[in-house]
Each structure stands twice: as C-alpha cells, then as structure tokens.
Amino acid sequence: MFPTISKPSRREPVRVAIVGTGAIARVSHLPALTALAARQPLEIVAAVDVDGASVEAFCTDAGIAHPYTDLDRMLTEQRPNLVTLATPPRFHRDQTVAALRAGAWVWCEKPPCPSLEDFDAIESAEGSRGHGPYAAIVFQHRFGSGSRHVRGLLAGGAMGRPLVVHCQTTWYRDRAYYAAPWRGTWSSEGGGPAMGHGIHQMDLLLDLLGPWTEIRAMAGRLVHDVETEDVSTALVRFENGAMATVVNSVLSPDEVSRIRIDCERATVELTHLYGHRNADWRITPAPGVDSEETDVWRDFGPDVPSSHEAQLTGLLEDLRAGRRPRSSGADGRKSLELVAALYKAAFTGGTVRAGEIGPDDPYYSALHGNAPGWAPEPLEKATEVPA
C-alpha cells in the first residue's frame, strides 16, 4: 500500500529531493532542476547525503532549506513528489524502493543498478494502480531534438531499412582515475566501461533501432589493474535485421562517442562526446536520392540539446499526468539487459539471445556471472596474508 501523496496540479509545485550531493548532483541534477524551476512550479525541498558536511554545504550553496543525512527521515518529513538519485549504483535499489514506497517518483542516475535482479525488484515496487509512482533511469542522450528527429525518420522508414551499424564509446581514463578504491570494482560500479560509460550510447542505439536478438562479445583488461574490463567489443543483431559493432573503451586518448547507421537510402551519423546538438548529426544520402527529400531529412527543427534538463522536462510532464515515463519499466530495463548479455557473451565465449538471462542464470544476479577470472575473489582469499 502506497501512502497518499497527491498528484500536483499544473499550478502546484512539484516537491523534489536530491539524494547524493557529489559531482553529478552539482553539475547535472541541480542545474536542470533550477532551470525548470524558473519556468514551472517546482521546489527543491531537501537534499540527502551520508556526509553531513557535504549536504550542509550543498544546501547552503543551492538555497535548499532542509539538509538530511537520513533518507527515510527525509521521506517521512518532507513527502517529496520526486526524488532524484545521484548516488553510487550499489545504493540505487534500496534507495529507489524506499522512495517508491513513500509514494515518490524516482529519477535515478545511470548505471541503473548492479544487476537485472535489482532492477526487477525496483520495478516490482512501483505503483500498480496505473499512475505510479514510477522509477526512471537517467538516459539523457536519447532526449533532445536530434535523437527525436532521427528516431522518427527511422521509424517511418524514410531512409529505408537500417543495415550496418557502429556504436562507439571510446574514452580515456588514466591510472589516477582508477586510484579511487571503489573504481573498477563490481560491487561499487556494477561493471566497467560497458556499464558505466558505453551504456549511454547503447541505450540511444536501442532507442533508435528497436529490439536486439543476439550478441557475441569479447572483453579485456589491457591496461588497468581492476576487477572489471577496461575495453569490450561486441557484435549485435537486431530484430529488423541490422548488424552492429559496439566498442566500449577507457583506453582511447582521442575521445569520441559515435553512432553510425547505414540504411538503404542514407547514412545517418552522430559524433559527439558527452552530449549532442542538432549540428552533431550528419545525414548522407545514397546516390540517386532526390535533394528535396534530403533537405527534409536534414531539417532537425529548433535545437534542443540532449541533457538532463531535456529528459527531466518530459518526466515532470508525465508525473503531473500520472503516466509512465520513458526510460522506466521495460523501457529502462532493455539497456541493462543488453549490458548483462554483453558480459555473459564475453565471459562465456558464446552467443547470448535476448530474454535468455532469467532468475536461474548467474548473470541475472551479478553482471560478472561468477565467471572465473572476472568475478571478485572471495573475501577470505582476497585478504589472505602470506606466511
């Protein structure tokens, strides 16, 4: 039974609480909420962090009235309509479930959570009455004018069938980046670049192309001494017949995020790094395509960059209407399932098919699947001291 938190009307402010006051909250969540608060009724009523000094400073800087170090207490006292989570992935399941059970919607930073089992537990805690509360994942790259325009072109078949696809997240992280003890571990991050970095482009790819059917993959630790991988490659077949190569790396000094889709009548390509605008998309027609038709394809309309603000705008509309938001439920789960399948394919050397990772599969409860050489060492072995 969910507590009764009235759905805010168009004139009533949405009460928002920010959980986690680190870099992602300061750089992304807070600016997006502040920008939207200037255009619609919205109030940031509280912030939560286990570090009392951090949350006090955050609230002072942002003009937020109520700092907390206890999530449950904040939920009881402030009764927010929306909770945004900017905490490490290992906390997402318990924090999301607590917020949902308190009647609040949740907007959870990626990676969503360390396993499909955790995600399904979150989904089962959502409201069952058809109007929430719901938990959505921050997948801001699929929002904005560019992705919306290209998604429409592909869905309508304007450029013909998608055939050959490339999805690339080749970034660079040095040894100093991995000096933090929680980085590169399954328990803290849930995975390596496939999970923590490349999931954004893979999510956008799925949003553009639709369901996948099978995947083969490889993963390696080529530079960094970590539990997870530092590079992975994969081959993915989609329901529509398209065949994709996927590369996720933190070993690439020339950093780029890229999606390229070769269709029957045109190639559409997105090249950017951490966010895209209309100008980052390029459409190249096949020989013989009429220039007037190409001009229509290249008209992206007003430029709305991909951003936390773009996704949050739609989420708030859905919250006020009481309808399920994008990137929640099955729509949010599909990207985590693809990541889990990539790891299973890489660590087993086999082909993994969509839908095969269920509760009896070791990759359902942990993305490392207890694979030898990849799963964390047992605690007693890891702490063993030579005689």
Side-chain angles (χ1 to χ4, degrees):
M1 178 68 68
F2 291 92
T4 301
I5 294 182
S6 60
K7 183 176 66 176
S9 70
R10 293 286 176 183
R11 297 179 181 178
E12 294 175 319
V14 174
R15 296 170 56 82
V16 183
I18 300 174
V19 179
T21 58
I24 195 66
R26 289 181 175 271
V27 173
S28 298
H29 288 228
L30 180 60
L33 289 164
T34 302
L36 288 168
R39 304 198 300 268
Q40 63 177 271
L42 184 151
E43 180 184 4
I44 306 173
V45 297
V48 183
D49 199 292
V50 293
D51 185 330
S54 176
V55 71
E56 290 280 357
F58 183 85
C59 287
T60 297
D61 293 343
I64 300 171
H66 302 290
Y68 287 87
T69 57
D70 185 288
L71 174 62
D72 290 332
R73 181 181 173 189
M74 185 279 293
L75 292 169
T76 299
E77 294 182 356
Q78 298 301 323
R79 295 174 63 79
N81 305 111
L82 174 66
V83 170
T84 76
L85 292 185
T87 53
R90 70 178 183 272
F91 301 120
H92 288 174
R93 173 178 174 169
D94 289 345
Q95 291 174 338
T96 300
V97 170
L100 289 170
R101 288 178 175 168
W105 288 41
V106 177
W107 192 43
C108 178
E109 190 59 54
K110 69 83 192 165
C113 48
S115 71
L116 290 168
E117 180 180 40
D118 289 334
F119 193 97
D120 290 347
I122 289 171
E123 191 173 357
S124 68
E126 292 181 328
S128 59
R129 295 170 293 181
H131 51 78
Y134 298 116
I137 308 303
V138 177
F139 282 137
Q140 76 272 20
H141 286 207
R142 66 159 92 168
F143 294 83
S145 52
S147 55
R148 181 176 62 246
H149 178 67
V150 171
R151 185 168 55 248
L153 291 175
L154 292 169
M159 297 181 294
R161 290 185 300 123
L163 302 171
V164 182
V165 182
H166 303 277
C167 180
Q168 175 183 352
T169 304
T170 43
W171 295 356
Y172 186 77
R173 299 294 183 265
D174 59 15
R175 285 180 170 83
Y177 175 84
Y178 283 104
W182 55 271
R183 285 202 168 120
T185 66
W186 294 104
S187 61
S188 292
E189 296 200 285
M195 177 68 155
H197 305 82
I199 194 172
H200 270 309
Q201 295 314 297
M202 290 189 286
D203 177 74
L204 177 55
L205 186 70
L206 291 172
D207 198 53
L208 294 174
L209 288 184
W212 61 280
T213 58
E214 60 179 307
I215 183 171
R216 303 176 187 181
M218 293 188 295
R221 302 185 191 101
L222 302 188
V223 172
H224 299 295
D225 182 17
V226 291
E227 287 183 351
T228 66
E229 86 287 5
D230 57 16
V231 63
S232 67
T233 62
L235 302 174
V236 184
R237 192 189 306 273
F238 285 80
E239 258 185 26
N240 59 22
M243 299 173 64
T245 60
V246 178
V247 180
N248 300 302
S249 165
V250 288
L251 310 179
S252 308
D254 183 11
E255 294 186 292
V256 69
S257 303
R258 178 180 291 120
I259 288 177
R260 170 177 167 146
I261 304 173
D262 295 325
C263 300
E264 292 174 305
R265 306 183 66 226
T267 292
V268 58
E269 185 170 12
L270 167 66
T271 304
H272 67 115
L273 188 54
Y274 299 135
H276 53 83
R277 309 180 70 100
N278 287 353
D280 297 316
W281 295 82
R282 184 179 67 174
I283 296 179
T284 304
V289 174
D290 186 85
S291 61
E292 292 185 1
E293 188 172 12
T294 302
D295 290 342
V296 172
W297 296 346
R298 290 173 173 165
D299 182 4
F300 282 69
D303 190 10
V304 179
S306 69
S307 65
H308 284 67
E309 183 180 339
Q311 181 176 359
L312 189 56
T313 298
L315 177 65
L316 288 169
E317 292 175 357
D318 294 330
L319 189 157
R320 290 184 183 278
R323 61 178 175 247
R324 178 177 286 282
R326 294 182 64 202
S327 81
S328 70
D331 188 44
R333 188 184 192 274
K334 63 187 181 185
S335 299
L336 182 60
E337 183 190 7
L338 181 60
V339 172
L342 186 155
Y343 283 129
K344 180 178 180 179
F347 299 162
T348 64
T351 299
V352 178
R353 289 172 173 78
E356 80 169 51
I357 300 178
D360 295 331
D361 192 304
Y363 290 87
Y364 178 76
S365 55
L367 295 187
H368 54 68
N370 294 316
W374 288 103
E377 294 184 357
L379 184 61
E380 61 272 13
K381 181 178 180 180
T383 58
E384 189 176 316
V385 178

